[in-house]
Amino acid sequence: MKFFIDTANLDEIKEMADLGIVDGVTTNPSIIAREGKDLKETLIKICNMVDGPISGEVLAMDAETMVKEGTEIASWHKNMVVKIPMTQEGIKAVGELSKKGIKTNVTTIYDAAQALIAAKAGATYVSPFVGRSDDVLMSGLAMLNQISRIFRIYNIKTEIIAASMRTPAYVIGAAEAGSDIATIPYDCMKKMFWHPMTDVSIDGFMIDWKNAMGDKKIL
Ligand code: E4P
């Protein structure tokens, strides 16, 4: 399973990318606004930090302007993926961008019907929002499982990015659902390193060593 990081914070991206665990980056207008920096400058910096798909979202709501914005975003770097909201106009734009060979990520997906439409239009990726589905008492992981099953039955090439991940349990759920990718916020990624028994076990090893060997070191 590939891990994308769902942030535009360069320090967060660098910290995780330096560990070799980041395959790509996703952003959205809220994420970019949180950093308060220029969109193009930020996305190009991210492209220079992570050699993988980097999603930048269009702002327009009509297909014609989405295609123009998407073409502009794609021209910024070879790894740019154009993120398009799941609307009828968005799907029109996805079709046109696909014809131009531009990669797209259809975002704000909340059910399998939307995912099928996006795949049919030629989307490179679909992003089902798991956490936000749970916010409105839908089962985000059930939706993800359904999309994953359908894509496998029909051998659909569009990759699934499990989005709106809130905790490591969501990421495990996405992996179990067979999602190709999970896009994970920095705080959630940090939590994935930790387990209380890991700390207890390491402490135990160090105490046993010290009791028997004192200050003896390897180097
Ligand atoms: C997806 O690409 C979105 O950027 C993101 O996962 C939304 O997640 P949120 O619900 O944590 O804002």
Side-chain angles (χ1 to χ4, degrees), residues 2 20 35 40 49 92 101 113 117 129 136 138 153 172 189:
K2 285 175 267 184
E35 299 309 310
K40 179 177 178 182
M49 292 168 77
K92 190 173 173 191
I117 292 276
F129 276 34
V136 293
M138 291 157 54
I153 290 169
I172 300 306
M189 207 174 258

Side-chain angles (χ1 to χ4, degrees), residues 122-162:
T124 318
Y125 304 97
V126 286
S127 289
F129 276 34
V130 178
R132 291 189 192 214
S133 294
D134 289 355
D135 287 345
V136 293
L137 302 180
M138 291 157 54
S139 170
L141 286 176
M143 173 218 9
L144 196 63
N145 265 291
Q146 196 176 35
I147 294 171
S148 181
R149 258 196 335 271
I150 293 170
F151 277 25
R152 266 153 198 75
I153 290 169
Y154 291 99
N155 198 21
I156 289 170
K157 296 284 174 258
T158 302
E159 287 192 85
I160 302 169
I161 305 178

Side-chain angles (χ1 to χ4, degrees), residues 1-2 45 81 98 194:
M1 179 189 221
K2 285 175 267 184
K45 278 187 184 156
V81 173
S98 306
W194 183 79

Side-chain angles (χ1 to χ4, degrees), residues 7-18 35 49 186:
T7 181
N9 182 291
L10 302 183
D11 293 333
E12 292 177 354
I13 295 170
K14 184 174 173 3
E15 183 184 332
M16 292 299 143
D18 282 353
E35 299 309 310
M49 292 168 77
Y186 171 80

Side-chain angles (χ1 to χ4, degrees), residues 5-7 25-31 34 55 57 83 105-108 110 127-133 135 161-166 183-185:
I5 188 163
D6 201 25
T7 181
V25 181
T26 50
T27 67
N28 61 37
S30 305
I31 286 173
R34 204 178 299 147
S55 287
E57 190 159 340
K83 215 173 182 191
N105 171 1
V106 177
T107 187
T108 59
Y110 286 91
S127 289
F129 276 34
V130 178
R132 291 189 192 214
S133 294
D135 287 345
I161 305 178
S164 193
M165 299 277 94
R166 299 273 165 83
T183 188
I184 311 169

